[in-house]
Amino acid sequence: MKRFLKYFFLFLLFFFVSLIIYFFSGRPQPAENIIWGVNFSQKHAEKLGLDWKKTYLALLDDLQTKNIKVAAYWDLIEQEKGEYNFDDLDWQIKQAKEHQAKVLLVVGMKTPRWPECHIPDWAKNLNKEEQQERILELIKTTVLRYRWSDPMPGEVVWAWQVENEPLFPFGECPWTDKDFLKKEISLVNSLDIAFESGGRPIIISDSGEGSLWFTAAQLGDIVATTMYRKVWFKEIKNYLTYPFPPSFYWKKAQIIKKLFHKKVIVGELQAEPWGPNLLYNLSLEEQEKSMNLGRFKDNIAFAKKTGFDEFYLWGAEWWYWLKEKQQRPEIWEEARSLFKD
């Protein structure tokens, strides 16, 4: 028995060492043509004390971004049960259309920005089954509204992201449910018949640092991963720089491509601080511990080395806040040069 355990331990050691060597070795070939986009959150811009419409237009007019990820927030759209108000989201889609930009629209209960699950007050005390029923109705109403070219410019929406990291345990969320996620995806596919190709792709997002993306690849047409470099870990009460090299992300993407024949894009590339408190409760000094101009440049350089060809940067509202509220336009100017390349 001791001999068996010895060899079993040696096998495990060899296996894990082999995995480390595989994921941490090699240099991916940089993509020749990279699509750069941004995440945008109406709610986050407002919490930073910004005019969210002015911020959105600055991304389109000044930075000239042509790819933008937008959230359809449940608690903004359906503040009263059964009463939908799409005015703000209509405006965002319309402006993207007028600026010839493409929108990746996130739908569902869990959408970008804290608290992650954006549940209206009236729905918070519903049981799980009742919440799921209302979420399906929200998704149905949203997809039907933006799938057509008339009366709204639906063709600007190039893909649907169903939920945001739906199976990753992060945020103030009442539950996760893989079977329900399948129902959401099936619903979107059944409704999106706008194009002869059969509709837009379904994107499922997952953690870049804490997942192998297998479930996301099984369920979606495209996998969207996160890519964070320096973050605050509350467990150790300190900042941690992830040790993963560019090959770590690239090798995982190659596995997904070989096993599932799916593409992986970066849905969140860190370009904003991640500190011990929410961003708008951090001093500028604390913010710069995890993101500043130097780190911004480093993260862009890192991203280019991963071999991926599509990135949505996380933090555009913060760049604008630095420029408008702090008279610190350096990151905004650096981002402008990136989008104009």
Side-chain angles (χ1 to χ4, degrees):
M1 186 65 180
K2 290 183 178 180
R3 188 174 184 181
F4 170 79
L5 291 176
K6 175 183 177 181
Y7 283 114
F8 181 70
F9 174 77
L10 289 174
F11 170 78
L12 288 179
L13 180 62
F14 175 78
F15 176 75
F16 285 115
V17 170
S18 298
L19 282 180
I20 292 172
I21 293 174
Y22 175 77
F23 285 111
F24 282 69
S25 64
R27 291 186 178 182
Q29 181 67 34
E32 293 184 5
N33 298 302
I34 296 178
I35 296 173
W36 298 102
V38 297
N39 287 264
F40 176 77
S41 167
Q42 170 186 347
K43 295 172 74 171
H44 188 56
E46 290 179 327
K47 288 179 179 178
L48 286 170
L50 298 169
D51 180 322
W52 72 266
K53 287 187 175 181
K54 184 178 178 181
T55 306
Y56 189 84
L57 288 175
L59 297 174
L60 296 169
D61 287 325
D62 193 8
L63 291 191
Q64 299 183 26
T65 181
K66 298 300 180 184
N67 298 275
I68 189 163
K69 185 167 75 174
V70 172
Y73 288 119
W74 185 12
D75 59 344
L76 294 185
I77 293 172
E78 193 182 5
Q79 296 184 16
E80 300 293 334
K81 183 178 180 180
E83 298 181 10
Y84 297 99
N85 183 346
F86 285 95
D87 289 352
D88 290 347
L89 190 54
D90 282 351
W91 184 87
Q92 292 173 70
I93 300 294
K94 184 174 184 291
Q95 292 301 321
K97 165 76 172 182
E98 293 180 355
H99 288 81
Q100 299 181 321
K102 296 194 302 180
V103 169
L104 167 53
L105 188 60
V106 189
V107 297
M109 174 181 70
K110 191 178 183 185
T111 47
R113 291 295 177 183
W114 194 261
E116 303 295 320
C117 287
H118 300 267
I119 305 172
D121 289 338
W122 61 264
K124 290 180 179 179
N125 292 325
L126 298 179
N127 62 40
K128 179 181 177 181
E129 290 72 22
E130 291 172 329
Q131 286 182 340
Q132 291 183 344
E133 180 182 344
R134 296 308 310 174
I135 293 165
L136 290 176
E137 191 62 33
L138 170 74
I139 290 175
K140 177 182 177 181
T141 305
T142 304
V143 172
L144 287 176
R145 188 174 188 86
Y146 298 115
R147 69 177 182 174
W148 303 111
S149 58
D150 292 312
M152 287 299 301
E155 71 273 12
V156 73
V157 177
W158 75 271
W160 313 102
Q161 180 176 310
V162 179
E163 306 288 349
N164 190 57
E165 299 179 40
L167 301 177
F168 188 68
F170 179 75
E172 296 178 354
C173 297
W175 42 263
T176 60
D177 189 330
K178 182 178 177 181
D179 289 335
F180 178 68
L181 177 61
K182 291 179 180 179
K183 289 182 181 179
E184 293 177 286
I185 294 169
S186 178
L187 175 62
V188 173
N189 277 325
S190 70
L191 295 171
D192 187 16
I193 54 174
F195 298 127
E196 293 180 359
S197 61
R200 303 162 182 83
I202 300 291
I203 293 178
I204 302 298
S205 59
D206 204 350
S207 168
E209 296 71 40
S211 171
L212 291 174
W213 313 331
F214 284 2
T215 301
Q218 289 173 338
L219 299 179
D221 301 308
I222 298 173
V223 176
T225 179
T226 62
M227 192 173 288
Y228 286 89
R229 304 293 299 129
K230 186 174 183 178
V231 302
W232 177 268
F233 263 71
K234 62 181 180 180
E235 292 80 4
I236 61 174
K237 297 183 180 180
N238 208 338
Y239 289 97
L240 176 67
T241 299
Y242 283 111
F244 308 124
S247 61
F248 174 77
Y249 298 92
W250 175 247
K251 292 288 182 66
K252 291 201 294 183
Q254 292 306 297
I255 292 173
I256 296 302
K257 182 178 180 180
K258 290 177 181 178
L259 293 181
F260 302 98
H261 309 289
K262 305 289 178 68
K263 180 179 179 179
V264 181
I265 67 173
V266 178
E268 295 180 15
L269 172 60
Q270 185 184 11
E272 175 187 277
W274 184 332
N277 296 303
L278 295 174
L279 178 59
Y280 33 90
N281 293 327
L282 293 176
S283 67
L284 188 57
E285 179 182 7
E286 189 67 33
Q287 292 177 23
E288 291 184 332
K289 292 179 181 180
S290 56
M291 183 55 60
N292 51 45
L293 180 60
R295 289 194 176 280
F296 180 89
K297 291 179 178 179
D298 288 344
N299 284 6
I300 295 299
F302 180 94
K304 291 178 178 178
K305 294 177 182 178
T306 62
F308 288 79
D309 65 3
E310 189 164 351
F311 300 88
Y312 286 82
L313 279 75
W314 182 262
E317 308 94 337
W318 178 68
W319 315 337
Y320 192 68
W321 174 82
L322 284 175
K323 173 177 174 289
E324 295 294 304
K325 301 292 186 178
Q326 303 297 318
Q327 290 72 54
R328 299 282 297 273
E330 296 85 2
I331 293 181
W332 183 267
E333 298 298 332
E334 184 67 24
R336 180 191 283 119
S337 66
L338 178 69
F339 290 109
K340 288 186 176 181
D341 282 348

